[in-house]
């Protein structure tokens, strides 16, 4: 019997039984796209669960994981916001900011993704791992399979581009007013 | 437009379920393929056709 192939069947069975309830739970805190993201991450994580075959997984357990993922995402976005503030920069926010202000990270996520779009894939990975997720240089370098110097360079260039990208709208506005 | 506080419509849930199921099945297939590749690479008598 192949245990690892069973693992896929177990996760699919849990998915069929509980996806709707998990998704609805996450939707109470987040808009559709982010709720789907987190729900998907949850089931992908289950695939990697070390002891999946020997555990009885209940819907409460899944909802607890979902809750942790929501909180983690919120913390990650807060860290990123703090970093931006510490560099005396502000992300440009959309007109729906006030409407979304009571949703903890809907706006933050969109702003974060927009800002990261200006980076190369390597720079984006470095900023995500070190700045957003708070990994050490060693851990981040190891997970990307590069040296600490390389990842430090990527992160440095990424942060510099981010600073330029958030400064640009203000400079353009100042230029047009002159 | 739906906000986080709304109870999601049945259609929204079912569309999301379909998308995530497809992604999950892809992920499971990818893991199985990777496992087979690793098993082959680590087998003591894995004979490459190039060597035959």
């Amino acid at each position: 019997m192949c245990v690892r192939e069973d693992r896929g069947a177990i996760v699919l069975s849990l998915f069929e039984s509980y996806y709707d309830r998990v998704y609805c739970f996450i939707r109470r805190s987040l808009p559709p796209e982010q709720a789907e993201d987190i729900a998907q991450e949850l089931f992908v994580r289950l695939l990697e669960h070390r002891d999946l075959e020997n555990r009885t997984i209940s819907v409460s357990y899944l909802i607890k994981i979902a809750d942790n993922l929501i909180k983690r995402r919120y913390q990650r976005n807060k860290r990123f916001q703090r970093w931006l503030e510490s560099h005396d920069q502000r992300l440009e926010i959309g007109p729906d900011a006030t409407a979304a202000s009571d949703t903890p990270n809907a706006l933050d996520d969109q702003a974060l993704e927009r800002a990261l779009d200006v980076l190369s894939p390597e720079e984006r990975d470095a900023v995500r791992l070190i700045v957003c997720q708070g990994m050490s240089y060693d851990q981040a370098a190891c997970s990307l399979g590069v040296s600490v110097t390389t990842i430090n360079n990527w992160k440095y260039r990424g942060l510099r581009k981010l600073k330029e990208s958030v400064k640009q709208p203000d400079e353009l506005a100042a230029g047009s007013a002159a | 437009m739906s906000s986080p506080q709304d109870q999601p419509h049945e259609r929204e849930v079912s569309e999301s379920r379909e998308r995530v199921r497809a992604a999950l099945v892809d992920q499971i297939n990818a893991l199985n393929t990777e496992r087979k590749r690793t098993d082959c690479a680590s087998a003591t008598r894995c004979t490459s056709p190039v060597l035959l």
Side-chain angles (χ1 to χ4, degrees), chain A residues 15 19-20 22-24 26-27 31-40 43, chain B residues 8-24:
Chain A
F15 176 87
Y19 183 80
D20 292 9
V22 169
Y23 178 80
C24 288
I26 303 169
R27 273 290 275 119
E33 285 156 20
Q34 292 179 45
E36 185 172 310
D37 247 16
I38 294 217
Q40 182 171 337
F43 285 97
Chain B
H9 291 293
E10 199 175 317
R11 186 176 167 191
E12 178 194 321
V13 179
S14 80
E15 285 176 355
S16 168
R17 190 194 318 120
E18 292 310 311
R19 281 191 298 270
V20 175
R21 183 192 288 114
L24 200 56

Side-chain angles (χ1 to χ4, degrees), chain A:
Chain A
M1 185 170 111
C2 178
V3 172
R4 288 194 215 171
E5 285 186 2
D6 276 357
R7 176 173 283 259
I10 294 170
V11 173
L12 278 178
S13 158
L14 289 167
F15 176 87
E16 298 299 343
S17 304
Y18 300 133
Y19 183 80
D20 292 9
R21 287 171 70 183
V22 169
Y23 178 80
C24 288
F25 169 78
I26 303 169
R27 273 290 275 119
R28 282 156 48 186
S29 313
L30 294 171
E33 285 156 20
Q34 292 179 45
E36 185 172 310
D37 247 16
I38 294 217
Q40 182 171 337
E41 186 179 350
L42 188 159
F43 285 97
V44 169
R45 276 168 180 256
L46 273 186
L47 273 177
E48 294 153 6
H49 194 298
R50 195 174 293 176
D51 201 26
L52 182 69
E53 295 87 348
N54 302 317
R55 286 194 70 133
T56 305
I57 308 273
S58 65
V59 71
S60 338
Y61 179 72
L62 297 181
I63 284 176
K64 183 66 194 162
I65 301 176
D67 193 40
N68 287 341
L69 291 174
I70 292 169
K71 287 175 184 159
R72 194 172 300 173
R73 179 174 284 223
Y74 178 61
Q75 292 302 327
R76 185 196 70 186
N77 290 331
K78 271 181 71 177
R79 269 202 300 275
F80 187 67
Q81 287 298 328
R82 275 202 299 273
W83 171 80
L84 287 173
E85 284 161 14
S86 75
H87 285 71
D88 198 22
Q89 303 288 350
R90 275 188 306 111
L91 281 176
E92 187 187 7
I93 56 176
D96 54 346
T98 47
S101 61
D102 52 351
T103 68
N105 43 15
L107 174 66
D108 292 351
D109 261 6
Q110 288 165 7
L112 177 62
E113 292 306 323
R114 273 204 307 271
L116 290 174
D117 272 346
V118 302
L119 309 185
S120 73
E122 292 83 8
E123 292 160 354
R124 195 158 45 230
D125 285 343
V127 171
R128 270 188 205 283
L129 294 178
I130 297 169
V131 180
C132 303
Q133 294 178 20
M135 269 191 189
S136 70
Y137 285 90
D138 277 342
Q139 288 172 319
C142 184
S143 75
L144 294 180
V146 296
S147 71
V148 171
T149 315
T150 304
I151 201 157
N152 192 17
N153 286 337
W154 287 345
K155 190 212 73 173
Y156 173 78
R157 286 201 297 264
L159 292 184
R160 197 176 52 189
K161 279 189 191 174
L162 277 176
K163 282 186 220 166
E164 285 164 2
S165 79
V166 292
K167 213 188 306 177
Q168 212 167 11
D170 293 342
E171 285 173 356
L172 287 174
S176 62

